[in-house]
Amino acid sequence: MSLKEILQKNHFTFQKRFGQNFLTDANLLASIVEKAGIGGEDVVLEVGCGGGTLTAAISDRAKRVIGFEIDRNLEPVLNETLKGRDNVEIYFRDVMKIPTGELETLAGGAYAVVANLPYYITTPVLMKFLEEGERVSSVTVTVQEEVADRLCARPGTPEYGAVTVAVNAAGSAEKVMRIGRNCFYPVPNVDSAVVKISVDREKYTPAVRQAVRSVVRAAFQSRRKTLVNNLMQAFRLSRAQAEEGVRDAGLDVLCRGETLGVEEYVRLAGILSERGYL
Ligand code: SAM
């Protein structure tokens, strides 16, 4: 029986507020899991199982899938679509309300995240794993194409933002596939893309990541302001303190946050942190 038939049989009604647009093409789903690089030793966390089609594709390749779904109305559907798969566990919970430490305990070691993300929590979910996940090895997400472009943006472009720096502080991102809107059920208004973020926890220590995070937050507070002005406001610095910090990091005092690459943020955060400004 097809997913559409199973949904109908269970009188399921789509909830727009949960970003419910499901993928049904088995070949497409298999290639998402392949692009995510999932193999037989991997434990995978999936955010938003929906009708379980991606869950099943992950389960075909992974050692174990731990899925989270906010909508309990999907329980009878998932019971049917995932029947007999003994490497799948589903929790009917809002993933944003589960502390990252608890998720990592469930995973029991290194894990990958694979998700077709609900659009309304795309950035918070990404930030959760990229900033707080200590054992996450990769995050492969299907997102609106515009978001995919932001995740992979270069400094100095309009798409470059705080989330791009968070991605680069955690590892590196690559757009691995485009998915036209017609592949979703129901059909949304925009096309999507799959982005794979490979996480490298050796890249920076947790302390450096934390310092970068607060400087980035400050730097993107107001895109119209210069970096110096944003730093002054966020950390209550005098103009002289902010300008000296920026200059000592080898940056122009008139630059804006969106022109800095992650290495420059690391340098600046190091200087501001040494001086006790953060
Ligand atoms: N994985 C399925 C697929 O690819 O067809 C469904 C993807 S759909 C875009 C997103 C799913 O996330 C929906 O089933 C929605 O109910 C669920 N969801 C939304 N917010 C959530 C949250 N905070 N925690 C867990 N699941 C959530």
Side-chain angles (χ1 to χ4, degrees), residues 53-110:
T53 48
L54 180 56
T55 323
I58 302 167
S59 144
D60 283 342
R61 281 185 164 243
K63 181 174 167 195
R64 200 175 145 217
V65 194
I66 307 166
F68 300 89
E69 174 50 60
I70 199 169
D71 187 356
R72 249 206 197 267
N73 292 326
L74 284 163
E75 189 168 5
V77 175
L78 288 167
N79 282 342
E80 207 162 328
T81 56
L82 300 174
K83 197 172 168 186
R85 292 182 179 270
D86 57 10
N87 64 346
V88 178
E89 298 143 54
I90 306 292
Y91 296 87
F92 289 92
R93 292 176 66 184
D94 177 345
V95 81
M96 290 311 295
K97 294 202 174 134
I98 308 177
T100 308
E102 192 182 325
L103 295 173
E104 301 212 321
T105 305
L106 277 174

Side-chain angles (χ1 to χ4, degrees), residues 18-23 29 46-54 68-71 74 93-96 116-118 120-121:
F18 289 147
Q20 292 177 336
N21 299 94
F22 298 167
L23 286 170
L29 289 154
E46 188 198 359
V47 177
C49 300
T53 48
L54 180 56
F68 300 89
E69 174 50 60
I70 199 169
D71 187 356
L74 284 163
R93 292 176 66 184
D94 177 345
V95 81
M96 290 311 295
N116 170 14
L117 283 181
Y120 78 106
I121 47 163

Side-chain angles (χ1 to χ4, degrees), residues 1-219:
M1 204 185 279
S2 73
L3 175 64
K4 286 179 193 173
E5 287 166 335
I6 295 174
L7 290 168
Q8 267 163 18
K9 193 180 83 181
N10 287 285
H11 309 292
F12 177 74
T13 47
F14 284 91
Q15 302 228 41
K16 227 180 164 173
R17 69 190 168 112
F18 289 147
Q20 292 177 336
N21 299 94
F22 298 167
L23 286 170
T24 53
D25 182 322
N27 291 330
L28 177 71
L29 289 154
S31 54
I32 293 175
V33 182
E34 193 202 323
K35 298 273 185 199
I38 301 303
E41 292 305 309
D42 291 318
V43 173
V44 178
L45 295 196
E46 188 198 359
V47 177
C49 300
T53 48
L54 180 56
T55 323
I58 302 167
S59 144
D60 283 342
R61 281 185 164 243
K63 181 174 167 195
R64 200 175 145 217
V65 194
I66 307 166
F68 300 89
E69 174 50 60
I70 199 169
D71 187 356
R72 249 206 197 267
N73 292 326
L74 284 163
E75 189 168 5
V77 175
L78 288 167
N79 282 342
E80 207 162 328
T81 56
L82 300 174
K83 197 172 168 186
R85 292 182 179 270
D86 57 10
N87 64 346
V88 178
E89 298 143 54
I90 306 292
Y91 296 87
F92 289 92
R93 292 176 66 184
D94 177 345
V95 81
M96 290 311 295
K97 294 202 174 134
I98 308 177
T100 308
E102 192 182 325
L103 295 173
E104 301 212 321
T105 305
L106 277 174
Y111 63 94
V113 174
V114 179
N116 170 14
L117 283 181
Y119 66 90
Y120 78 106
I121 47 163
T122 299
T123 306
V125 168
L126 284 172
M127 290 303 215
K128 182 178 179 66
F129 288 105
L130 297 179
E131 293 186 336
E132 298 169 15
E134 288 304 330
R135 305 300 310 274
V136 60
S137 56
S138 65
V139 178
T140 304
V141 283
T142 302
V143 292
Q144 297 188 351
E145 194 158 33
E146 176 203 322
V147 177
D149 291 338
R150 267 194 264 144
L151 299 178
C152 303
R154 303 207 152 273
T157 60
E159 293 78 23
Y160 190 77
V163 72
T164 326
V165 189
V167 166
N168 292 328
S172 56
E174 190 192 352
K175 200 196 242 191
V176 290
M177 201 196 295
R178 281 194 78 230
I179 303 184
R181 65 193 77 183
N182 290 321
C183 295
F184 294 86
Y185 174 67
V187 178
N189 296 326
V190 291
D191 296 321
S192 288
V194 181
V195 174
K196 179 176 182 185
I197 303 165
S198 303
V199 178
D200 176 6
R201 281 299 181 231
E202 305 289 304
K203 198 169 172 185
Y204 304 114
T205 64
V208 170
R209 279 192 276 131
Q210 172 65 44
V212 168
R213 198 186 311 175
S214 48
V215 174
V216 168
R217 205 159 287 157

